Structures are given as C-alpha cells and as structure tokens.
Amino acid sequence: MATAKARHILVDSEATCVELKNRIEGGEDFAEVAKQYSKCPSGRRGGELGQFRPGQMVPEFDYVCFNEAVGVVHGPVRTQFGYHLVEVTERVD
C-alpha cells in the first residue's frame, strides 16, 4: 500500500499562504517558517506530519500528497482547516 511523508504550514488566509510560499522559494527554511507561522501543532516540529496512507488526511491534502511532485512546495491548498503549504518529502507506491 502507498505511503507518504509530508510537512505543511497551516494559515488562515490565502494571501498569507502565498507570501510564505514566496519566502520559502526565495530561500527561507520551510521548517523555520512552519515554527513561526503554522497554526497546526505540527508547526513546532517544522510542520512534519510523519508517515500516512491514502485516506488518512482530508481529500484536498491527500490528493497533493499522493499525486503531486515530491520535494516541491505545493499550495495554497484550501481545506476546512485553512490554507496549507505542503511539501511531500517521501512517497512509496
């Protein structure tokens, strides 16, 4: 069965999400940005979510983790929780 590992940053607005993505793409460290800005408890761990299988995350998040490129920051990804930046760090099919 497929598994993925990912990290994310959760914020309240799309504008903040875009701003943070630009900062990361400009060279800021994803984990440090997550620690400063993510409203998810995983932010304290640099946004690390650990390993999970399809269906364990909300559908929008799940889609990114199992269909988009590994090692790239994706987003904004809107879910019922807010706006996410998602980086899939590993995927095994």
Side-chain angles (χ1 to χ4, degrees), residues 10-11 13-14 20 26 30 32 36 38 41 46-47 58-60 62 65 68-69 73-74 86 89-92:
L10 174 63
V11 295
S13 77
E14 185 173 12
L20 296 177
F30 189 104
E32 289 303 315
Q36 289 182 349
S38 186
V58 294
E60 303 89 343
D62 203 63
C65 291
E68 300 295 340
V73 177
H74 301 281
V86 181
T89 57
E90 178 181 307
R91 184 170 52 231
V92 178

Side-chain angles (χ1 to χ4, degrees), residues 15-90:
T16 301
C17 201
V18 169
E19 176 190 335
L20 296 177
K21 183 176 184 179
N22 289 336
R23 287 171 60 176
I24 292 165
E25 289 175 343
E28 287 194 45
D29 183 66
F30 189 104
E32 289 303 315
V33 173
K35 287 176 185 176
Q36 289 182 349
Y37 294 97
S38 186
K39 66 178 203 166
C40 180
S42 69
R44 292 189 297 272
R45 298 185 308 276
E48 293 290 342
L49 295 170
Q51 188 173 42
F52 50 91
R53 292 190 170 112
Q56 289 187 280
M57 301 292 182
V58 294
E60 303 89 343
F61 199 92
D62 203 63
Y63 179 84
V64 171
C65 291
F66 290 97
N67 293 283
E68 300 295 340
V70 174
V72 176
V73 177
H74 301 281
V77 176
R78 186 173 182 211
T79 72
Q80 73 241 35
F81 302 107
Y83 293 87
H84 306 257
L85 292 179
V86 181
E87 181 184 18
V88 182
T89 57
E90 178 181 307

